[in-house]
């Protein structure tokens, strides 16, 4: 399968490594696209592939089967939509896009053109996360009661100054839409779709347009509740990215830096955790490889995937509801008009 990569920034090499690690259903890279001419010249010299500054010209010239989009969030919608209309499958970094209306259009066009759009949520392939979800499916937790997310990461001035789009409403959003979107997606995957959210946003240290800290209360069906604390103001380094779960028959916490360790698991019925206790050493790469394996199988066997746009839109809607709650300082119900002005919807 021929693939074009659009966006050659911070996460680019992780995707390239994951593609090269595939042993079957292999992907052949046919070109790179980025706005940085110096970066493109280095890539051309190293990989001897076509380079482009304009994504439309890149797609039109290379005619890929798959477009891999690793650009800032605010560019996703235009690039995904153009790719679909050129009959390409798409892999796009989280989130799917920022605006609900764009997400709806992507879902509609994906069905119309019979192409698949996958959003990168690689942490769902972490061994401890897989174990947690399997134990839930087996009923080991009983009735779920409460879920809790903590994201305590460091993003300092150096991080934000590396790229002008970071921390802007137009192209990025804050900790909710960027760093914590993985955890939001996991929360709704496990607890179900929220009925309502009530959120507060703060900017403690980043000095950007957007929040660097958010506190969120979730209500779910059947009386389930949720809490989320997400911040990039942690100093002096990253500490934790975790999800905790309480049920009528047990509780557990998947923690570590990025949902890569079972911190504890207390269940009435014993469940062997040894194999799933921690991820392989490279926590920031293991999930990407497994994600690509999953995507390729889904395409070749035409199997439905939870990473496709019709599911990813629900996380976009949730992000908008959280930001609208911050804007209006009140509880927002997901069945209402949940468009966030800050994200330009």
């Amino acid at each position: 399968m021929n693939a074009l990569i659009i966006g050659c920034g911070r996460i680019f090499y992780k995707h390239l490594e994951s593609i090269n690690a595939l042993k079957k259903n292999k992907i052949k890279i046919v070109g790179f696209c980025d706005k940085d001419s110096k970066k493109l010249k280095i890539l051309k010299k190293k990989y001897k592939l076509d380079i482009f500054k304009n994504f439309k010209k890149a797609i039109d010239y290379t005619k890929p089967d798959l477009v891999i989009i690793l650009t800032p969030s605010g560019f996703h919608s235009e690039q995904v939509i153009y790719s679909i209309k050129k009959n390409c499958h798409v892999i796009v970094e989280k989130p799917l896009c920022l605006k609900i209306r764009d997400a709806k259009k992507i879902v509609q066009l994906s069905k119309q053109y019979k192409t698949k759009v996958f959003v990168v949520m690689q942490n769902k392939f972490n061994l401890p996360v897989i174990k947690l979800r399997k134990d839930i499916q087996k009923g080991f937790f009983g009735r779920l009661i409460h879920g809790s997310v903590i994201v305590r990461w460091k993003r300092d001035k150096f991080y934000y100054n590396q790229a002008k789009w970071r921390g802007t409403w137009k192209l990025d959003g804050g900790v909710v839409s960027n760093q914590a979107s993985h955890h939001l997606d996991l929360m709704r995957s496990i607890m179900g779709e929220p009925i309502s959210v009530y959120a507060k946003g703060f900017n403690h240290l980043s000095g950007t347009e957007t929040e660097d800290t958010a506190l969120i209360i979730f209500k779910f069906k059947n009386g389930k509740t949720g809490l989320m604390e997400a911040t990039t103001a942690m100093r002096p380094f990253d500490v934790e990215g975790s999800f905790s779960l309480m049920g009528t028959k047990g509780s557990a916490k998947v923690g570590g830096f990025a949902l890569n360790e079972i911190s504890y698991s207390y269940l009435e019925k014993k469940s062997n955790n040894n194999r799933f206790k921690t991820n392989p050493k490279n926590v920031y790469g293991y999930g990407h490889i497994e994600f690509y394996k999953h995507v390729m199988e889904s395409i070749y066997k035409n199997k439905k995937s939870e990473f496709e746009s019709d599911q990813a839109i629900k996380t976009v809607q949730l992000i908008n509801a959280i930001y609208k709650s911050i804007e209006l300082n009140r509880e927002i119900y997901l069945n209402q008009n949940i468009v966030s002005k800050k994200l330009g919807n």
Side-chain angles (χ1 to χ4, degrees):
M1 181 168 288
N2 292 334
L4 169 73
I5 298 181
I6 302 175
C8 304
R10 189 167 178 254
I11 197 66
F12 166 77
Y13 284 103
K14 190 55 61 184
H15 282 264
L16 208 56
E17 289 170 12
S18 301
I19 290 167
N20 291 334
L22 294 176
K23 293 181 180 178
K24 66 175 185 176
N25 294 334
K26 292 190 175 182
I27 296 172
K28 179 185 177 183
I29 305 299
V30 294
F32 304 115
C33 180
D34 197 276
K35 291 185 176 182
D36 190 327
S37 300
K38 291 182 180 178
K39 192 180 294 181
L40 287 174
K41 287 178 182 177
I42 293 170
L43 291 173
K44 184 174 179 62
K45 184 177 180 181
K46 185 174 182 179
Y47 296 103
K48 307 294 189 285
L49 293 173
D50 291 318
I51 57 172
F52 306 87
K53 292 188 73 175
N54 182 286
F55 79 89
K56 292 181 180 179
K57 290 181 180 178
I59 294 171
D60 292 346
Y61 182 83
T62 60
K63 295 179 171 57
D65 306 298
L66 174 68
V67 178
I68 301 167
I69 298 172
L70 313 177
T71 54
S73 303
F75 294 132
H76 288 180
S77 58
E78 183 185 9
Q79 293 166 348
V80 171
I81 288 168
Y82 192 83
S83 300
I84 294 171
K85 288 181 177 180
K86 292 295 179 175
N87 294 297
C88 303
H89 297 297
V90 178
I91 290 174
V92 59
E93 267 291 345
K94 52 77 188 167
L96 173 62
C97 57
L98 295 177
K99 300 178 181 181
I100 294 173
R101 67 171 181 265
D102 290 338
K104 288 180 178 178
K105 187 171 184 179
I106 289 169
V107 172
Q108 180 261 318
L109 287 172
S110 180
K111 292 178 181 177
Q112 179 183 335
Y113 283 83
K114 297 181 180 179
T115 60
K116 289 178 177 285
V117 178
F118 302 90
V119 178
V120 182
M121 291 290 178
Q122 77 278 0
N123 288 334
K124 283 184 174 177
F125 292 98
N126 288 356
L127 296 181
V129 174
I130 290 173
K131 177 62 174 171
L132 178 69
R133 297 182 76 180
K134 283 185 176 179
D135 283 350
I136 293 168
Q137 290 170 2
K138 291 176 181 177
F140 289 173
F141 286 90
R143 180 171 57 85
L144 302 187
I145 298 171
H146 180 77
S148 180
V149 164
I150 295 178
V151 180
R152 292 177 178 170
W153 288 348
K154 173 193 175 184
R155 298 292 185 270
D156 57 14
K157 289 287 186 182
F158 176 76
Y159 168 83
Y160 288 106
N161 289 340
Q162 281 182 315
K164 292 181 179 180
W165 60 267
R166 289 178 178 167
T168 64
W169 286 118
K170 184 177 180 180
L171 298 178
D172 188 19
V175 66
V176 172
S177 63
N178 190 328
Q179 288 80 14
S181 58
H182 286 290
H183 306 80
L184 275 174
D185 181 72
L186 184 63
M187 173 82 89
R188 49 160 291 269
S189 297
I190 289 176
M191 302 300 291
E193 304 303 332
I195 295 171
S196 72
V197 293
Y198 183 54
K200 291 281 189 180
F202 308 90
N203 192 310
H204 290 305
L205 296 177
S206 70
T208 58
E209 293 177 7
T210 61
E211 86 291 346
D212 63 19
T213 302
L215 306 173
I216 308 158
I217 299 171
F218 301 82
K219 289 181 185 176
F220 301 93
K221 291 180 181 178
N222 302 320
K224 292 177 291 184
T225 55
L227 284 175
M228 182 169 180
E229 172 204 320
T231 185
T232 57
M234 198 69 186
R235 299 294 185 269
F237 40 69
D238 297 325
V239 173
E240 177 179 1
S242 69
F243 177 78
S244 304
L245 182 66
M246 293 166 51
T248 55
K249 295 182 179 179
S251 60
K253 179 179 180 179
V254 175
F257 160 67
L259 299 164
N260 59 299
E261 297 176 1
I262 295 179
S263 302
Y264 63 80
S265 181
Y266 306 125
L267 303 172
E268 290 181 6
K269 186 172 182 178
K270 287 188 177 180
S271 178
N272 183 17
N273 293 325
N274 292 335
R275 179 180 161 226
F276 298 89
K277 186 70 177 175
T278 58
N279 245 23
K281 288 184 179 179
N282 188 5
V283 61
Y284 202 51
Y286 174 81
H288 284 89
I289 296 171
E290 296 303 309
F291 173 79
Y292 270 96
K293 290 178 183 177
H294 172 89
V295 165
M296 298 305 289
E297 184 178 8
S298 177
I299 292 173
Y300 279 119
K301 295 184 179 180
N302 196 26
K303 293 172 65 175
K304 192 63 185 169
S305 168
E306 68 174 295
F307 300 91
E308 289 185 56
S309 57
D310 60 344
Q311 293 300 309
I313 189 176
K314 296 174 184 178
T315 300
V316 175
Q317 290 168 332
L318 182 53
I319 289 170
N320 272 264
I322 289 168
Y323 280 130
K324 186 166 185 179
S325 177
I326 292 172
E327 291 164 15
L328 301 180
N329 190 28
R330 65 175 174 84
E331 184 177 11
I332 297 296
Y333 286 82
L334 272 291
N335 61 359
Q336 297 175 337
N337 179 11
I338 53 174
V339 171
S340 165
K341 292 181 180 179
K342 287 186 176 180
L343 293 179
N345 281 285

